[in-house]
Amino acid sequence: MRVLLIGANGYLGRFVADRLLADPAVQLTALGRGDDADVRFDLASGSPGALTRFLDAVHPGVVVNCAGATRGGARELTRHNTVAVATVCEALRRSGCGARLVQIGCGAEYGPSQPGSSTAEDAVPRPGGPYGVSKLAATELVLGSGLDAVVLRVFSPAGPGTPAGSPLGRLAEAMRRAMQSGDGELKLGGLGVQRDFIDVRDVARAVHAASLSAAQGVINIGSGRAVRLRDAAAVLARVAGYGGALHELDGPHIPVRPSIGHPRPEPDHAAPAAYPYPDGCGSWQQADVRTARDRLGWRPRINLEESLADIWMEAACRI
């Protein structure tokens, strides 16, 4: 099976590439903006015609799109998350390769949900920020393309390679600094939110399964369990061997909610609230993952403690 992987150098893409390369039946070609890609191509600025010619030459059976942006302004997010996917869909429509498309979506497409609920694929998406909007627009392009396509809505990925700017990455970095300086107290903000964390290696397994399946439409990829960030912080402290106190800054008496690892600003220097999850999903998110089980034969295998241990291992190497 010939697979064209777009975005192989990204956080998710690296693990998807490893998973696909481990399958002896897969012949993998990587397309991306980096020098180490097999083929250099920028989806946000490249033409569908140029991509079509490449597809006709390589003739993949599956195209996996892991490319995209998680940060930036609305214009940048639209270019990399929406325009780029429009290019992929148009190129596949023009090409004679007949490839199946596996698009990586995200849980932020759903927006805020009711605490205690599990979000299924038939929920009406109401993204609460430009990132979720740009990803939802990409999903709608894929679903309306007429292609053989599936969109995997990945919730909150965790594990090795977690970006330092992500909530868990910032948490690990704050703990590393506290241990390095001998601080007996770690002050953190934004710990009240609850998210569905899923290990990036489990995400890669889901992409592999989706590539081999005939499933179409939207499929949630998550653990099926929301975890409060303060509980994740406690697990990380145990894994790291941090014996200090974790002091949570959140509370109704505090006018400003600092991001994880950032010092609390003085009341005289009030600033806009900096939430650790700029995903527009509110205080709670939990995936209903029954569709992934039924249609892909996929279940998560790696628990959050193992994911956090791997995150800490990378942070500890910087001590």
Side-chain angles (χ1 to χ4, degrees), residues 247-307:
H247 180 63
E248 188 171 352
L249 297 176
D250 291 9
H253 61 286
I254 296 175
V256 178
R257 178 179 297 177
S259 295
I260 290 171
H262 289 209
R264 178 183 173 185
E266 296 297 327
D268 293 340
H269 300 87
Y275 293 89
Y277 270 91
D279 56 7
C281 293
S283 64
W284 171 276
Q285 200 173 51
Q286 178 174 283
D288 182 331
V289 294
R290 289 175 293 179
T291 301
R293 178 196 64 199
D294 296 341
R295 299 177 65 188
L296 300 181
W298 174 91
R299 296 174 187 269
R301 293 178 181 173
I302 300 174
N303 61 38
L304 182 58
E305 184 165 354
E306 183 175 345
S307 301

Side-chain angles (χ1 to χ4, degrees), residues 47-57 87 90-92 94-96:
S47 71
L51 184 56
T52 298
R53 289 190 291 273
F54 176 73
L55 290 171
D56 288 338
T87 298
E90 180 60 24
L92 282 169
R94 296 182 188 181
S95 173

Side-chain angles (χ1 to χ4, degrees), residues 7-35:
N9 294 324
Y11 172 38
L12 296 179
R14 293 195 298 272
F15 290 92
V16 171
D18 289 344
R19 178 72 187 187
L20 293 174
L21 287 169
D23 184 346
V26 170
Q27 182 179 358
L28 186 66
T29 301
L31 183 147
R33 291 180 290 172
D35 292 335

